[in-house]
Amino acid sequence: MQTNLKQNKTPDAGYLANLAHNFRKSWGQNFLRYCEDAGKLVDKIDLTDNMAVLEIGVGGGALTAALLNRNVTVYAYEIDKTLETFLNLRFAESLAQGRLHLSFTDALAADWTQLFARFEKVAVVSNLPYSLTRELINKIYRELGEKIGILALMLQKEAINRLLCPPPGRTNYQAKLYGLQAVITQMLFRSAERYKISRQAFFPVPHVDNEFLIMTTEKGGEEKSDIYFPRQNSIRDQKLWLYFIDFLQTAFQNRRKQIRNCFSTLPNEQLSAILLKAGLPLTVRAEELTPQELWQIACELFEAKNG
């Protein structure tokens, strides 16, 4: 289900204060213009009281301000240090109260495993920079894993399609879309909703339309969701989770190659035996397997390795 968000005309303070800002294309800087748009987006997210929220790319702070209207604690990253004075002044009260933790560093260099270790669940709510979308989502999945309760991201349509691509089957698969991110998405989440947003809601105006994707680990009601993932596994072992991601990276880097030939450090006979045990053909490729089948293979390899 796709829903259009009507554009409202109350300018956000971050947009007005930074009209002359030197916007960096390499950082994907496109600020939300209107307070109401940010508020409507946040209102669609089922944030619980006292939840920890990770925001990547604060920009002018429109989304941050909307998040701070809820009873949550925001851990935010902004790489552009020229915005530091403005953002520190804008959010001085929330910073003093400890409701906002604002870091002017590269989010890719942060250690989220340690930062969120004490929280049971984390919501990730961000307007991700276009050029770093893939890297940031991979980092979110790798370091937070099952701690992610909600993932709400402003993304290009192509990036969303890559996340939501269903298992393709053995005969007609979309090799370019189905990969690591689609597999992890379907391992972690139960439902997904997406909302169209006009490019005119941003400044500078981007060349493509964006959508706001909200995915949850709870079943949000199939009638409301674009896709429902019948989740079957619970991933509690962090070492196994990291092994699984590394396994997927290797398997999908060798796209179109039989999976038993993807791992030069593993005996072909070992992988063949695991495939046969799972009832899979020896000629199968990673992009032909469901997330559950890939998870089963990785678990067998992990157990064999760690005894």
Side-chain angles (χ1 to χ4, degrees), residues 188-221:
L188 292 178
F189 300 103
R190 295 290 298 273
S191 63
E193 299 172 74
R194 55 200 295 183
Y195 302 89
K196 289 183 178 179
I197 306 172
S198 169
R199 66 184 70 181
Q200 300 299 324
F202 299 91
F203 183 83
V205 178
H207 297 299
V208 295
D209 289 323
N210 290 268
E211 294 184 16
F212 195 57
L213 174 69
I214 303 174
M215 298 191 293
T216 63
T217 55
E218 301 300 324
K219 179 182 172 183

mmCIF file of all heavy atoms in Angstrom, residues 188-221:
data_model
loop_
_atom_site.group_PDB
_atom_site.id
_atom_site.type_symbol
_atom_site.label_atom_id
_atom_site.label_comp_id
_atom_site.label_asym_id
_atom_site.label_seq_id
_atom_site.Cartn_x
_atom_site.Cartn_y
_atom_site.Cartn_z
ATOM 1 N N LEU A 188 14.707 -10.336 9.612
ATOM 2 C CA LEU A 188 14.497 -9.485 10.780
ATOM 3 C C LEU A 188 13.067 -8.989 10.941
ATOM 4 O O LEU A 188 12.579 -8.850 12.063
ATOM 5 C CB LEU A 188 15.435 -8.271 10.729
ATOM 6 C CG LEU A 188 16.928 -8.529 10.893
ATOM 7 C CD1 LEU A 188 17.694 -7.220 10.772
ATOM 8 C CD2 LEU A 188 17.226 -9.188 12.235
ATOM 9 N N PHE A 189 12.399 -8.674 9.824
ATOM 10 C CA PHE A 189 11.154 -7.927 9.925
ATOM 11 C C PHE A 189 9.920 -8.751 9.590
ATOM 12 O O PHE A 189 9.988 -9.737 8.862
ATOM 13 C CB PHE A 189 11.217 -6.682 9.033
ATOM 14 C CG PHE A 189 12.326 -5.751 9.420
ATOM 15 C CD1 PHE A 189 13.506 -5.706 8.684
ATOM 16 C CD2 PHE A 189 12.216 -4.940 10.535
ATOM 17 C CE1 PHE A 189 14.540 -4.872 9.055
ATOM 18 C CE2 PHE A 189 13.249 -4.110 10.922
ATOM 19 C CZ PHE A 189 14.414 -4.073 10.181
ATOM 20 N N ARG A 190 8.777 -8.287 10.102
ATOM 21 C CA ARG A 190 7.506 -8.958 9.878
ATOM 22 C C ARG A 190 6.611 -8.192 8.917
ATOM 23 O O ARG A 190 5.741 -8.785 8.285
ATOM 24 C CB ARG A 190 6.771 -9.132 11.217
ATOM 25 C CG ARG A 190 7.470 -10.053 12.200
ATOM 26 C CD ARG A 190 7.432 -11.507 11.765
ATOM 27 N NE ARG A 190 6.078 -12.010 11.671
ATOM 28 C CZ ARG A 190 5.398 -12.535 12.685
ATOM 29 N NH1 ARG A 190 5.950 -12.609 13.885
ATOM 30 N NH2 ARG A 190 4.189 -13.000 12.500
ATOM 31 N N SER A 191 6.749 -6.887 8.833
ATOM 32 C CA SER A 191 5.856 -6.115 7.965
ATOM 33 C C SER A 191 6.550 -4.858 7.475
ATOM 34 O O SER A 191 7.528 -4.396 8.063
ATOM 35 C CB SER A 191 4.564 -5.738 8.700
ATOM 36 O OG SER A 191 4.847 -4.898 9.804
ATOM 37 N N ALA A 192 6.034 -4.309 6.371
ATOM 38 C CA ALA A 192 6.616 -3.109 5.773
ATOM 39 C C ALA A 192 5.526 -2.259 5.135
ATOM 40 O O ALA A 192 4.600 -2.777 4.522
ATOM 41 C CB ALA A 192 7.655 -3.495 4.718
ATOM 42 N N GLU A 193 5.645 -0.954 5.314
ATOM 43 C CA GLU A 193 4.756 0.003 4.673
ATOM 44 C C GLU A 193 5.609 1.086 4.016
ATOM 45 O O GLU A 193 6.672 1.440 4.532
ATOM 46 C CB GLU A 193 3.808 0.638 5.689
ATOM 47 C CG GLU A 193 2.892 -0.352 6.397
ATOM 48 C CD GLU A 193 2.117 0.309 7.517
ATOM 49 O OE1 GLU A 193 1.176 1.057 7.221
ATOM 50 O OE2 GLU A 193 2.471 0.081 8.693
ATOM 51 N N ARG A 194 5.139 1.630 2.902
ATOM 52 C CA ARG A 194 5.905 2.668 2.214
ATOM 53 C C ARG A 194 4.972 3.812 1.810
ATOM 54 O O ARG A 194 3.828 3.608 1.448
ATOM 55 C CB ARG A 194 6.631 2.088 1.001
ATOM 56 C CG ARG A 194 5.756 1.372 0.004
ATOM 57 C CD ARG A 194 6.527 0.422 -0.890
ATOM 58 N NE ARG A 194 7.475 1.078 -1.769
ATOM 59 C CZ ARG A 194 8.200 0.437 -2.672
ATOM 60 N NH1 ARG A 194 8.085 -0.882 -2.821
ATOM 61 N NH2 ARG A 194 9.051 1.078 -3.443
ATOM 62 N N TYR A 195 5.522 5.044 1.895
ATOM 63 C CA TYR A 195 4.753 6.251 1.634
ATOM 64 C C TYR A 195 5.509 7.131 0.642
ATOM 65 O O TYR A 195 6.691 7.430 0.839
ATOM 66 C CB TYR A 195 4.527 7.034 2.941
ATOM 67 C CG TYR A 195 3.817 6.230 4.001
ATOM 68 C CD1 TYR A 195 4.532 5.451 4.908
ATOM 69 C CD2 TYR A 195 2.428 6.228 4.076
ATOM 70 C CE1 TYR A 195 3.887 4.695 5.871
ATOM 71 C CE2 TYR A 195 1.771 5.477 5.040
ATOM 72 C CZ TYR A 195 2.506 4.717 5.935
ATOM 73 O OH TYR A 195 1.869 3.964 6.890
ATOM 74 N N LYS A 196 4.839 7.556 -0.391
ATOM 75 C CA LYS A 196 5.451 8.443 -1.371
ATOM 76 C C LYS A 196 5.596 9.849 -0.796
ATOM 77 O O LYS A 196 4.726 10.324 -0.073
ATOM 78 C CB LYS A 196 4.605 8.497 -2.638
ATOM 79 C CG LYS A 196 4.623 7.235 -3.469
ATOM 80 C CD LYS A 196 3.805 7.411 -4.734
ATOM 81 C CE LYS A 196 3.852 6.161 -5.600
ATOM 82 N NZ LYS A 196 3.025 6.308 -6.833
ATOM 83 N N ILE A 197 6.696 10.501 -1.147
ATOM 84 C CA ILE A 197 6.939 11.876 -0.730
ATOM 85 C C ILE A 197 7.383 12.671 -1.950
ATOM 86 O O ILE A 197 8.296 12.250 -2.673
ATOM 87 C CB ILE A 197 8.031 11.956 0.357
ATOM 88 C CG1 ILE A 197 7.675 11.048 1.531
ATOM 89 C CG2 ILE A 197 8.214 13.382 0.841
ATOM 90 C CD1 ILE A 197 8.772 10.923 2.544
ATOM 91 N N SER A 198 6.777 13.810 -2.171
ATOM 92 C CA SER A 198 7.148 14.648 -3.304
ATOM 93 C C SER A 198 8.574 15.152 -3.157
ATOM 94 O O SER A 198 9.013 15.495 -2.057
ATOM 95 C CB SER A 198 6.198 15.842 -3.416
ATOM 96 O OG SER A 198 6.691 16.790 -4.336
ATOM 97 N N ARG A 199 9.293 15.204 -4.265
ATOM 98 C CA ARG A 199 10.651 15.763 -4.222
ATOM 99 C C ARG A 199 10.644 17.228 -3.816
ATOM 100 O O ARG A 199 11.643 17.759 -3.338
ATOM 101 C CB ARG A 199 11.339 15.564 -5.565
ATOM 102 C CG ARG A 199 10.736 16.325 -6.721
ATOM 103 C CD ARG A 199 11.415 15.997 -8.039
ATOM 104 N NE ARG A 199 11.106 14.641 -8.482
ATOM 105 C CZ ARG A 199 11.591 14.102 -9.598
ATOM 106 N NH1 ARG A 199 12.423 14.784 -10.365
ATOM 107 N NH2 ARG A 199 11.266 12.882 -9.941
ATOM 108 N N GLN A 200 9.495 17.907 -3.984
ATOM 109 C CA GLN A 200 9.387 19.314 -3.599
ATOM 110 C C GLN A 200 9.385 19.504 -2.080
ATOM 111 O O GLN A 200 9.473 20.630 -1.595
ATOM 112 C CB GLN A 200 8.101 19.923 -4.186
ATOM 113 C CG GLN A 200 8.035 19.880 -5.700
ATOM 114 C CD GLN A 200 9.152 20.655 -6.360
ATOM 115 O OE1 GLN A 200 9.570 21.704 -5.869
ATOM 116 N NE2 GLN A 200 9.665 20.129 -7.480
ATOM 117 N N ALA A 201 9.294 18.412 -1.336
ATOM 118 C CA ALA A 201 9.341 18.498 0.125
ATOM 119 C C ALA A 201 10.765 18.695 0.633
ATOM 120 O O ALA A 201 10.968 18.900 1.830
ATOM 121 C CB ALA A 201 8.747 17.237 0.738
ATOM 122 N N PHE A 202 11.752 18.659 -0.281
ATOM 123 C CA PHE A 202 13.156 18.758 0.112
ATOM 124 C C PHE A 202 13.824 19.981 -0.517
ATOM 125 O O PHE A 202 13.391 20.493 -1.549
ATOM 126 C CB PHE A 202 13.915 17.502 -0.328
ATOM 127 C CG PHE A 202 13.400 16.232 0.274
ATOM 128 C CD1 PHE A 202 12.412 15.490 -0.376
ATOM 129 C CD2 PHE A 202 13.886 15.761 1.484
ATOM 130 C CE1 PHE A 202 11.919 14.318 0.169
ATOM 131 C CE2 PHE A 202 13.408 14.585 2.030
ATOM 132 C CZ PHE A 202 12.419 13.864 1.378
ATOM 133 N N PHE A 203 14.896 20.419 0.133
ATOM 134 C CA PHE A 203 15.735 21.482 -0.418
ATOM 135 C C PHE A 203 17.196 21.120 -0.186
ATOM 136 O O PHE A 203 17.569 20.775 0.934
ATOM 137 C CB PHE A 203 15.424 22.823 0.271
ATOM 138 C CG PHE A 203 16.218 23.964 -0.302
ATOM 139 C CD1 PHE A 203 15.788 24.602 -1.454
ATOM 140 C CD2 PHE A 203 17.403 24.389 0.304
ATOM 141 C CE1 PHE A 203 16.517 25.661 -1.989
ATOM 142 C CE2 PHE A 203 18.134 25.420 -0.228
ATOM 143 C CZ PHE A 203 17.683 26.069 -1.376
ATOM 144 N N PRO A 204 18.031 21.182 -1.225
ATOM 145 C CA PRO A 204 17.689 21.384 -2.631
ATOM 146 C C PRO A 204 16.772 20.268 -3.138
ATOM 147 O O PRO A 204 16.787 19.158 -2.594
ATOM 148 C CB PRO A 204 19.041 21.333 -3.337
ATOM 149 C CG PRO A 204 20.069 21.525 -2.273
ATOM 150 C CD PRO A 204 19.481 20.963 -1.026
ATOM 151 N N VAL A 205 16.001 20.560 -4.167
ATOM 152 C CA VAL A 205 15.075 19.578 -4.710
ATOM 153 C C VAL A 205 15.879 18.462 -5.376
ATOM 154 O O VAL A 205 16.676 18.722 -6.283
ATOM 155 C CB VAL A 205 14.123 20.225 -5.731
ATOM 156 C CG1 VAL A 205 13.188 19.171 -6.318
ATOM 157 C CG2 VAL A 205 13.328 21.341 -5.071
ATOM 158 N N PRO A 206 15.706 17.206 -4.936
ATOM 159 C CA PRO A 206 16.454 16.094 -5.539
ATOM 160 C C PRO A 206 15.938 15.789 -6.943
ATOM 161 O O PRO A 206 14.863 16.230 -7.337
ATOM 162 C CB PRO A 206 16.192 14.934 -4.587
ATOM 163 C CG PRO A 206 14.900 15.268 -3.934
ATOM 164 C CD PRO A 206 14.841 16.766 -3.839
ATOM 165 N N HIS A 207 16.706 15.010 -7.692
ATOM 166 C CA HIS A 207 16.327 14.655 -9.058
ATOM 167 C C HIS A 207 15.394 13.452 -9.114
ATOM 168 O O HIS A 207 14.905 13.106 -10.197
ATOM 169 C CB HIS A 207 17.579 14.369 -9.890
ATOM 170 C CG HIS A 207 18.488 15.557 -10.034
ATOM 171 N ND1 HIS A 207 18.094 16.725 -10.642
ATOM 172 C CD2 HIS A 207 19.772 15.756 -9.635
ATOM 173 C CE1 HIS A 207 19.088 17.597 -10.626
ATOM 174 N NE2 HIS A 207 20.122 17.030 -10.012
ATOM 175 N N VAL A 208 15.176 12.819 -7.985
ATOM 176 C CA VAL A 208 14.312 11.635 -7.940
ATOM 177 C C VAL A 208 13.326 11.769 -6.785
ATOM 178 O O VAL A 208 13.559 12.513 -5.828
ATOM 179 C CB VAL A 208 15.139 10.341 -7.754
ATOM 180 C CG1 VAL A 208 16.031 10.095 -8.942
ATOM 181 C CG2 VAL A 208 15.957 10.398 -6.468
ATOM 182 N N ASP A 209 12.214 11.047 -6.895
ATOM 183 C CA ASP A 209 11.246 11.010 -5.802
ATOM 184 C C ASP A 209 11.716 10.041 -4.724
ATOM 185 O O ASP A 209 12.372 9.049 -5.009
ATOM 186 C CB ASP A 209 9.870 10.581 -6.315
ATOM 187 C CG ASP A 209 9.210 11.653 -7.170
ATOM 188 O OD1 ASP A 209 9.369 12.840 -6.833
ATOM 189 O OD2 ASP A 209 8.558 11.295 -8.160
ATOM 190 N N ASN A 210 11.346 10.363 -3.499
ATOM 191 C CA ASN A 210 11.691 9.529 -2.360
ATOM 192 C C ASN A 210 10.448 8.837 -1.825
ATOM 193 O O ASN A 210 9.318 9.257 -2.084
ATOM 194 C CB ASN A 210 12.301 10.376 -1.240
ATOM 195 C CG ASN A 210 13.672 10.886 -1.590
ATOM 196 O OD1 ASN A 210 14.663 10.255 -1.292
ATOM 197 N ND2 ASN A 210 13.749 12.048 -2.224
ATOM 198 N N GLU A 211 10.685 7.791 -1.061
ATOM 199 C CA GLU A 211 9.614 7.143 -0.318
ATOM 200 C C GLU A 211 10.089 6.922 1.112
ATOM 201 O O GLU A 211 11.289 6.819 1.378
ATOM 202 C CB GLU A 211 9.226 5.806 -0.960
ATOM 203 C CG GLU A 211 8.608 5.952 -2.334
ATOM 204 C CD GLU A 211 8.152 4.619 -2.914
ATOM 205 O OE1 GLU A 211 8.038 3.643 -2.145
ATOM 206 O OE2 GLU A 211 7.921 4.557 -4.126
ATOM 207 N N PHE A 212 9.124 6.883 2.013
ATOM 208 C CA PHE A 212 9.423 6.627 3.416
ATOM 209 C C PHE A 212 9.000 5.198 3.711
ATOM 210 O O PHE A 212 7.827 4.843 3.597
ATOM 211 C CB PHE A 212 8.655 7.610 4.304
ATOM 212 C CG PHE A 212 9.149 7.662 5.729
ATOM 213 C CD1 PHE A 212 10.476 7.973 6.007
ATOM 214 C CD2 PHE A 212 8.291 7.441 6.795
ATOM 215 C CE1 PHE A 212 10.932 8.047 7.320
ATOM 216 C CE2 PHE A 212 8.739 7.510 8.108
ATOM 217 C CZ PHE A 212 10.063 7.814 8.369
ATOM 218 N N LEU A 213 9.972 4.368 4.047
ATOM 219 C CA LEU A 213 9.742 2.952 4.317
ATOM 220 C C LEU A 213 9.756 2.715 5.820
ATOM 221 O O LEU A 213 10.699 3.108 6.508
ATOM 222 C CB LEU A 213 10.828 2.102 3.648
ATOM 223 C CG LEU A 213 10.817 0.605 3.961
ATOM 224 C CD1 LEU A 213 9.593 -0.068 3.340
ATOM 225 C CD2 LEU A 213 12.105 -0.054 3.451
ATOM 226 N N ILE A 214 8.705 2.075 6.325
ATOM 227 C CA ILE A 214 8.638 1.725 7.746
ATOM 228 C C ILE A 214 8.504 0.214 7.862
ATOM 229 O O ILE A 214 7.525 -0.372 7.385
ATOM 230 C CB ILE A 214 7.444 2.404 8.453
ATOM 231 C CG1 ILE A 214 7.520 3.926 8.301
ATOM 232 C CG2 ILE A 214 7.431 2.022 9.938
ATOM 233 C CD1 ILE A 214 6.294 4.645 8.849
ATOM 234 N N MET A 215 9.480 -0.414 8.483
ATOM 235 C CA MET A 215 9.436 -1.864 8.702
ATOM 236 C C MET A 215 9.485 -2.146 10.201
ATOM 237 O O MET A 215 10.170 -1.457 10.951
ATOM 238 C CB MET A 215 10.615 -2.547 8.004
ATOM 239 C CG MET A 215 10.600 -2.373 6.499
ATOM 240 S SD MET A 215 11.783 -3.429 5.630
ATOM 241 C CE MET A 215 13.347 -2.729 6.192
ATOM 242 N N THR A 216 8.734 -3.157 10.612
ATOM 243 C CA THR A 216 8.664 -3.486 12.030
ATOM 244 C C THR A 216 8.927 -4.968 12.238
ATOM 245 O O THR A 216 8.692 -5.796 11.353
ATOM 246 C CB THR A 216 7.279 -3.146 12.613
ATOM 247 O OG1 THR A 216 6.287 -3.941 11.969
ATOM 248 C CG2 THR A 216 6.959 -1.668 12.405
ATOM 249 N N THR A 217 9.380 -5.286 13.423
ATOM 250 C CA THR A 217 9.638 -6.683 13.765
ATOM 251 C C THR A 217 8.385 -7.365 14.288
ATOM 252 O O THR A 217 8.382 -8.571 14.507
ATOM 253 C CB THR A 217 10.751 -6.796 14.823
ATOM 254 O OG1 THR A 217 10.403 -5.997 15.964
ATOM 255 C CG2 THR A 217 12.072 -6.306 14.270
ATOM 256 N N GLU A 218 7.328 -6.591 14.494
ATOM 257 C CA GLU A 218 6.042 -7.154 14.883
ATOM 258 C C GLU A 218 5.122 -7.171 13.674
ATOM 259 O O GLU A 218 5.270 -6.368 12.750
ATOM 260 C CB GLU A 218 5.413 -6.330 16.013
ATOM 261 C CG GLU A 218 6.265 -6.255 17.264
ATOM 262 C CD GLU A 218 6.544 -7.619 17.866
ATOM 263 O OE1 GLU A 218 5.648 -8.485 17.805
ATOM 264 O OE2 GLU A 218 7.647 -7.824 18.398
ATOM 265 N N LYS A 219 4.156 -8.055 13.699
ATOM 266 C CA LYS A 219 3.191 -8.159 12.600
ATOM 267 C C LYS A 219 2.248 -6.964 12.662
ATOM 268 O O LYS A 219 1.333 -6.925 13.431
ATOM 269 C CB LYS A 219 2.421 -9.477 12.708
ATOM 270 C CG LYS A 219 1.377 -9.675 11.623
ATOM 271 C CD LYS A 219 0.652 -10.986 11.864
ATOM 272 C CE LYS A 219 -0.528 -11.118 10.913
ATOM 273 N NZ LYS A 219 -1.291 -12.344 11.168
ATOM 274 N N GLY A 220 2.438 -5.981 11.812
ATOM 275 C CA GLY A 220 1.686 -4.739 11.904
ATOM 276 C C GLY A 220 0.306 -4.793 11.293
ATOM 277 O O GLY A 220 -0.314 -3.762 11.093
ATOM 278 N N GLY A 221 -0.223 -5.942 10.985
ATOM 279 C CA GLY A 221 -1.516 -6.029 10.339
ATOM 280 C C GLY A 221 -1.323 -6.172 8.839
ATOM 281 O O GLY A 221 -0.925 -5.233 8.172
#
